[in-house]
Amino acid sequence: MSDVEALNSIIEGIRSFDRFSILTHVSPDGDTLGSGIAVQILLESLGKKAEVVCEEPVPHIYGYLPNAGRVVLPQEAASFECVIACDCADRQRFKKAEHIFENAKHTMVIDHHFTNKGYADANLIRPGASAACEVVFDLYKAMDIPVCPEAAVCIYTGIVTDTGNLTYSNTTPHAIRIVAELYENGLNITEINRNIYRTIPYVKTRLQGHVLSNMKLEAGGRIGIATVTVGEMEAFGATNEDCEGIVDSVRDVESVRVAIFIREGRDGTYKVSLRSKECADVGKIAGKYGGGGHAAAAGYSSKEPLSTTIANVLRDVSQELENDKN
Ligand SMILES: [Mn+2]
């Protein structure tokens, strides 16, 4: 199916149904929430009923998003006749809302992950887009629906969080043009930037200082690794959300080519996050352990003890760095 046909199949689905469940992914980020809520706003502007579902509460930093307070957990959610999954590369991404997807008469996907094989009845997947929000913006345009100020906040949030403020290699000229248009129409980018990046809870800064001061370098400095246990998080009064961004700080160390961050989960498993400076494919490593992501950013869960988890990931990352000497 061509891209135009895919776009038309989404528009037809939106026109045909009245009640929609919008699914977002686990570990919600700015793009899944931004695209999901922007689609909700679009549907409501057409007089339709739409509920955004996420299996975790909206992270504190995204509390400023319009309708953030209306996002519901799967167990509180209704099962509506039509489902739209936003920014979800596969069905594992909304595991706890699977029943909503199963029960729907019609399912649709709006996404930008190249790994998305198109698991719904209608699939609008643009691997070239920087963010699902970029695709949602195009949907507004294709349907001739004005992007209201609330939708602009959502679309901008998804684009800047998925592109590192329009600097990562996935940034498209189209994304920059969208941001220019939203800004021209009055979007307050300063305020959103403050909300996302300049409003850090005190405990988060303290936890990150602690974790980063204990980071280690391996492979002659080419690998950086940091870990945090549940006990350490409790000692700081911190939550999982307070660990966001640690792996990026490890990556940003000058000599580091691949960054590893391992967080102990409350279920005793370890969440491994990987970042690569375009020299090793960390998506391949995550895939080996049943995780996901892409070449530059990926993650997986490990049920092994911490020491084994560390030994395994160091071995795999070292091998990937060997394979790619750039
Ligand atoms: Mn995304």
Side-chain angles (χ1 to χ4, degrees):
M1 189 185 274
S2 74
D3 182 74
V4 177
E5 286 167 333
L7 178 63
N8 286 334
S9 70
I10 296 291
I11 295 172
E12 198 193 308
I14 287 175
R15 297 233 160 95
S16 309
F17 294 91
D18 290 316
R19 298 180 308 156
F20 297 81
S21 298
I22 299 164
L23 306 186
T24 59
H25 64 68
V26 65
S27 305
D29 60 15
D31 192 33
T32 197
L33 292 169
S35 58
I37 297 173
V39 168
Q40 179 186 41
I41 292 169
L42 180 147
L43 291 166
E44 289 180 345
S45 78
L46 297 170
K48 318 247 176 195
K49 195 171 171 58
E51 188 169 66
V52 178
V53 185
C54 188
E55 64 181 72
E56 286 157 273
V58 172
H60 178 73
I61 59 161
Y62 297 120
Y64 69 88
L65 286 173
N67 299 352
R70 290 174 54 201
V71 176
V72 297
L73 298 167
Q75 56 270 32
E76 309 166 329
S79 267
F80 288 132
E81 55 194 1
C82 187
V83 156
I84 308 179
C86 293
D87 197 39
C88 298
D90 58 63
R91 290 168 67 164
Q92 289 300 307
R93 300 293 282 155
F94 50 79
K95 240 188 320 198
K96 290 184 183 153
E98 179 69 20
H99 61 284
I100 299 172
F101 190 88
E102 285 286 339
N103 292 340
K105 264 192 234 155
H106 189 67
T107 57
M108 308 204 277
V109 159
I110 298 174
D111 191 22
H112 68 118
H113 292 95
F114 74 93
T115 53
N116 193 322
K117 295 192 177 76
Y119 50 86
D121 299 322
N123 302 281
L124 179 58
I125 300 156
R126 290 185 173 164
S130 64
C133 278
E134 189 178 319
V135 186
V136 171
F137 178 88
D138 293 345
L139 179 65
Y140 269 82
K141 291 285 163 174
M143 295 187 74
D144 211 15
I145 294 171
V147 178
C148 65
E150 291 76 23
V153 169
C154 297
I155 290 168
Y156 176 76
T157 296
I159 290 175
V160 292
T161 54
D162 262 23
T163 60
N165 274 321
L166 304 174
T167 61
Y168 294 160
S169 58
N170 65 337
T171 307
T172 62
H174 185 47
I176 298 173
R177 288 191 187 98
I178 291 170
V179 167
E181 184 177 323
L182 299 176
Y183 186 43
E184 209 162 40
N185 291 330
L187 179 72
N188 191 339
I189 58 173
T190 313
E191 186 187 313
I192 299 173
N193 183 67
R194 190 164 53 236
N195 279 316
I196 305 175
Y197 303 107
R198 303 277 172 269
T199 311
I200 303 168
Y202 180 52
V203 295
K204 178 172 178 174
T205 299
R206 291 193 66 231
L207 176 81
Q208 299 217 347
H210 166 78
V211 172
L212 289 170
S213 71
N214 287 324
M215 82 169 268
K216 300 267 186 303
L217 295 178
E218 302 284 347
R222 301 178 79 211
I223 303 174
I225 179 164
T227 62
V228 68
T229 62
V230 169
E232 285 172 303
M233 282 195 278
E234 279 173 355
F236 284 90
T239 62
N240 295 346
E241 195 182 332
D242 297 318
C243 297
E244 283 299 318
I246 292 177
V247 70
D248 302 297
S249 298
V250 174
R251 178 203 55 206
D252 291 345
V253 172
E254 189 174 15
S255 69
V256 169
R257 310 312 297 161
V258 173
I260 304 165
F261 174 59
I262 303 176
R263 173 175 67 73
E264 185 183 8
R266 278 170 207 284
D267 57 0
T269 65
Y270 290 92
K271 314 290 171 200
V272 182
S273 301
L274 302 168
R275 294 289 183 276
S276 165
K277 281 180 188 156
E278 287 165 31
C279 56
D281 183 351
V282 291
K284 214 160 84 184
I285 298 170
K288 183 175 147 182
Y289 295 99
H294 44 92
Y300 63 93
S301 286
S302 164
K303 291 194 171 77
E304 303 287 345
L306 182 59
S307 56
T308 316
T309 300
I310 292 174
N312 287 343
V313 71
L314 283 177
R315 182 198 60 222
D316 292 342
V317 170
S318 302
Q319 266 168 18
E320 264 305 301
L321 281 171
E322 276 306 304
N323 294 339
D324 192 329
K325 293 261 186 204
N326 303 325

